[in-house]
């Protein structure tokens, strides 16, 4: 079966996608076009670049997550200054190591810019905070007077994965003004709407790193930290939850990994394997009864 795929954000929990893709490949499900936000953007990009399941498993099995965290040198020497950096540069980590890792992996497939990919095969979501709008890459780059064909895919991925306050924002120049770009999950963490535009060519299969709306538990809010977590979670999902209907949910694989942290960069091998196992098992169960609705 040929489908279009949409992947939600979820940070480090995205390891579950590797197991899910293995289950889909074993059942003969293939992707024609893919879209995603944050962690989902990484998976979508690697699929569009031509990585198969075996290659994905090797890439993520070898990945040392801590290497992707790159605080400025003065913070390594004087850790107490990290809060000053957070205030001045709006992120604890620069994000250069993350972008370079994307560049290195994509280069093995000869993918550097969106011009190296078939047109329309990949769409990534980021958030333009300056203008208060969802940014779809590469489609919306012309609004910034940028040629999409020449724009680095690794930079677009870095933008989509720029978790606020964790990674420094990316800046896009548009004439004299600079737009501050952060993680796509701020405005649309699960962009099922990208391919549901009234002119579908094939079924759209969504993959979401959370329980379904029926199984979700309400937020416990008893202190300031819980309030912030509930606020950010609601903000991430409000736009998408308004869009997703019961009809859409029949085409979504829900992978319940809420107990894991999106920024757990010290993930051990056992937890990686557990996440992959959850993704594979949930996908196998979904495919047993799935009848595409479109």
């Amino acid at each position: 079966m040929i489908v279009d795929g949409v992947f939600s954000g979820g940070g480090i929990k995205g390891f579950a996608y590797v197991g899910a893709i293995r289950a889909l490949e074993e059942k003969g499900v293939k992707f024609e076009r893919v879209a995603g936000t944050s962690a989902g953007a990484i998976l979508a990009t690697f699929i569009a670049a031509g990585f198969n399941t075996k290659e994905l498993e090797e890439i993520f099995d070898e990945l040392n997550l801590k290497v992707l965290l790159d605080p400025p040198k003065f913070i390594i020497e004087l850790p107490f200054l990290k809060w000053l950096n957070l205030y001045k540069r709006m992120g604890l980590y620069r994000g250069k190591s993350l972008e370079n890792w994307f560049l290195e992996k994509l280069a093995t497939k000869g993918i550097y810019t969106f011009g190296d990919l078939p047109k329309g095969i990949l769409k990534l979501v980021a958030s333009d905070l300056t203008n208060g709008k969802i940014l779809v890459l590469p489609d919306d780059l012309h609004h910034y007077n940028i040629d999409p064909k020449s724009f680095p895919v690794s930079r677009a991925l870095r933008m989509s994965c720029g978790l606020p306050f964790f990674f420094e924002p990316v800046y896009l120049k548009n004439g004299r003004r600079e737009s501050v770009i952060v993680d796509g999950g701020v405005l649309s963490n699960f962009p099922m709407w990208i391919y549901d535009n009234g002119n579908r060519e094939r079924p759209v299969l969504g993959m979401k790193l959370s329980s379904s709306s029926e199984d979700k538990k309400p937020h416990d809010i008893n202190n300031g930290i819980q309030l912030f977590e509930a606020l950010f979670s609601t903000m991430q999902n409000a736009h998408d939850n308004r869009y997703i209907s019961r009809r859409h949910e029949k085409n979504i694989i829900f992978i319940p990994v809420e107990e894991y942290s999106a920024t757990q960069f010290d993930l051990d091998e056992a937890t990686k394997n557990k996440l992959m196992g959850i993704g594979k098992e949930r996908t196998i169960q979904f495919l047993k009864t799935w009848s595409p609705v479109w």
Side-chain angles (χ1 to χ4, degrees), residues 36-37 123-129 131-144 146 151 155-156 159-160 170-172 179-185 187-188 191 193-194:
T37 296
K123 297 182 188 294
L124 309 179
V125 174
S127 301
D128 180 341
L129 296 188
N131 296 297
K133 66 181 183 181
I134 295 171
L135 175 59
V136 178
L137 302 158
D139 301 27
D140 294 335
L141 286 170
H142 68 277
H143 294 305
Y144 303 83
I146 296 172
F151 196 78
R155 173 54 59 92
M159 291 159 66
S160 185
V170 175
Y171 297 89
L172 278 186
S179 291
V180 176
I181 312 298
V182 299
D183 195 297
L187 295 179
S188 182
W193 47 268
I194 281 186

Side-chain angles (χ1 to χ4, degrees), residues 2-293:
I2 307 297
V3 301
D4 290 334
V6 178
F7 305 89
S8 82
I12 300 307
K13 295 181 283 187
F15 275 94
Y17 282 141
V18 180
I21 296 300
R22 165 63 71 184
L24 291 172
E25 188 176 274
E26 290 174 354
K27 291 295 183 180
V29 178
K30 297 183 179 180
F31 295 101
E32 179 71 20
R33 300 180 300 178
V34 282
T37 296
S38 198
I42 299 173
L43 212 287
T45 299
F46 282 12
I47 290 172
F51 289 95
N52 60 35
T53 304
K54 186 174 184 232
E55 291 171 321
L56 289 174
E57 289 172 343
E58 289 174 355
I59 287 171
F60 288 101
D61 185 54
E62 296 169 357
L63 177 60
N64 178 0
L65 290 165
K66 290 183 180 179
V67 172
L68 304 181
L69 302 181
D70 53 355
K73 186 177 179 181
F74 70 85
I75 288 181
I76 297 174
E77 297 170 350
L78 302 168
F80 65 89
L81 291 179
K82 68 179 180 179
W83 303 116
L84 176 62
N85 189 68
L86 178 61
Y87 175 76
K88 295 211 35 110
R89 302 185 63 86
M90 295 181 281
L92 292 173
Y93 301 99
R94 293 179 298 167
K96 289 289 185 184
S97 294
L98 183 65
E99 184 174 337
N100 288 338
W101 185 75
F102 294 147
L103 177 63
E104 175 190 330
K105 296 305 175 186
L106 292 171
T108 65
K109 294 292 186 180
I111 305 299
Y112 296 92
T113 70
F114 281 100
D116 296 321
L117 292 168
K119 186 176 180 181
I121 195 175
L122 175 66
K123 297 182 188 294
L124 309 179
V125 174
S127 301
D128 180 341
L129 296 188
T130 301
N131 296 297
K133 66 181 183 181
I134 295 171
L135 175 59
V136 178
L137 302 158
D139 301 27
D140 294 335
L141 286 170
H142 68 277
H143 294 305
Y144 303 83
N145 298 314
I146 296 172
D147 178 8
K149 291 182 180 179
S150 65
F151 196 78
V153 179
S154 57
R155 173 54 59 92
L157 259 183
R158 162 73 177 86
M159 291 159 66
S160 185
C161 298
L163 188 65
F165 305 119
F166 198 81
F167 290 112
E168 293 176 9
V170 175
Y171 297 89
L172 278 186
K173 286 189 177 180
N174 186 8
R176 295 182 179 179
R177 170 177 284 185
E178 278 190 328
S179 291
V180 176
I181 312 298
V182 299
D183 195 297
V186 171
L187 295 179
S188 182
N189 201 43
F190 185 43
M192 279 288 283
W193 47 268
I194 281 186
Y195 293 130
D196 190 23
N197 52 16
N199 190 28
R200 289 193 186 188
E201 299 178 23
R202 59 193 66 82
V204 177
L205 176 63
M207 302 184 71
K208 195 171 192 301
L209 296 173
S210 74
S211 302
S212 67
S213 57
E214 285 184 344
D215 298 326
K216 276 188 180 176
K217 297 178 181 178
H219 296 286
D220 288 324
I221 306 174
N222 299 305
N223 55 53
I225 292 176
Q226 290 178 336
L227 176 64
F228 177 79
E229 290 174 346
L231 178 67
F232 193 71
S233 175
T234 302
M235 180 175 64
Q236 280 187 308
N237 295 300
H239 173 274
D240 302 320
N241 287 344
R242 185 180 178 88
Y243 169 80
I244 295 170
S245 66
R246 282 274 175 243
R247 181 173 64 87
H248 292 106
E249 287 198 352
K250 293 178 181 178
N251 288 332
I252 298 171
I253 303 171
F254 292 96
I255 306 175
V257 287
E258 288 96 336
E259 65 182 277
Y260 300 94
S261 169
T263 57
Q264 192 178 340
F265 278 76
D266 59 350
L267 213 62
D268 57 32
E269 290 301 313
T271 307
K272 280 186 189 179
N273 291 331
K274 187 174 182 180
L275 283 167
M276 292 180 191
I278 293 171
K280 183 174 183 179
E281 181 59 32
R282 282 287 168 159
T283 303
I284 290 172
Q285 292 300 319
F286 174 85
L287 292 175
K288 285 180 179 178
T289 58
W290 184 43
S291 179
V293 178

